[in-house]
Amino acid sequence: MSNLHFPEKSIFICDGSKCGKHKEIRKFLKEAIKDNGLKDHVEIVKIECTDRCKHAPILCFQPQNQWLSDTSIWEVEKVFKKLILEE
Ligand code: FES
């Protein structure tokens, strides 16, 4: 049997040259996952530029496939609560 583990939820974060500047968002999410004891259940996955640089920062919550653009910590926090903590 393999020990390979996959999380129930993932948060894809664009780490291209534009979105990657918004380190505060990744930092916030990392801490929120840790503070809620979700390290084994929610994973942050850095992805390459998605060609939406004008709308940086870009994020996508899975499995709900909820994309965020031009987002802020405030909005990310709201969506994290809804899609990660409540669903
Ligand atoms: S850097 Fe994020 S869409 Fe291009």
Side-chain angles (χ1 to χ4, degrees):
M1 270 259 285
S2 155
N3 290 327
L4 194 56
H5 171 79
F6 293 110
E8 292 99 71
K9 293 178 179 173
S10 308
I11 306 169
F12 290 90
I13 300 189
C14 178
D15 195 37
S17 57
K18 271 279 197 173
C19 301
K21 286 184 187 146
H22 296 268
K23 300 207 185 311
E24 73 286 355
I25 299 224
R26 202 163 78 224
K27 191 167 170 255
F28 167 78
L29 285 169
K30 267 176 110 171
E31 280 168 11
I33 289 169
K34 198 172 148 224
D35 292 349
N36 287 285
L38 294 171
K39 271 180 140 181
D40 290 338
H41 306 280
V42 181
E43 191 165 313
I44 294 173
V45 182
K46 285 199 237 171
I47 57 170
E48 289 182 10
C49 175
T50 70
D51 283 332
R52 297 177 179 88
C53 310
K54 277 191 187 150
H55 299 284
I58 297 282
L59 249 84
C60 181
F61 285 77
Q62 293 291 352
Q64 296 94 341
N65 199 37
Q66 171 76 57
W67 287 74
L68 302 182
S69 58
D70 296 297
T71 194
S72 60
I73 290 203
W74 180 82
E75 186 184 32
V76 170
E77 186 176 9
K78 212 174 72 180
V79 175
F80 183 88
K81 270 194 193 140
K82 183 169 177 274
L83 300 185
I84 303 289
L85 300 181
E86 289 168 13
E87 284 188 10

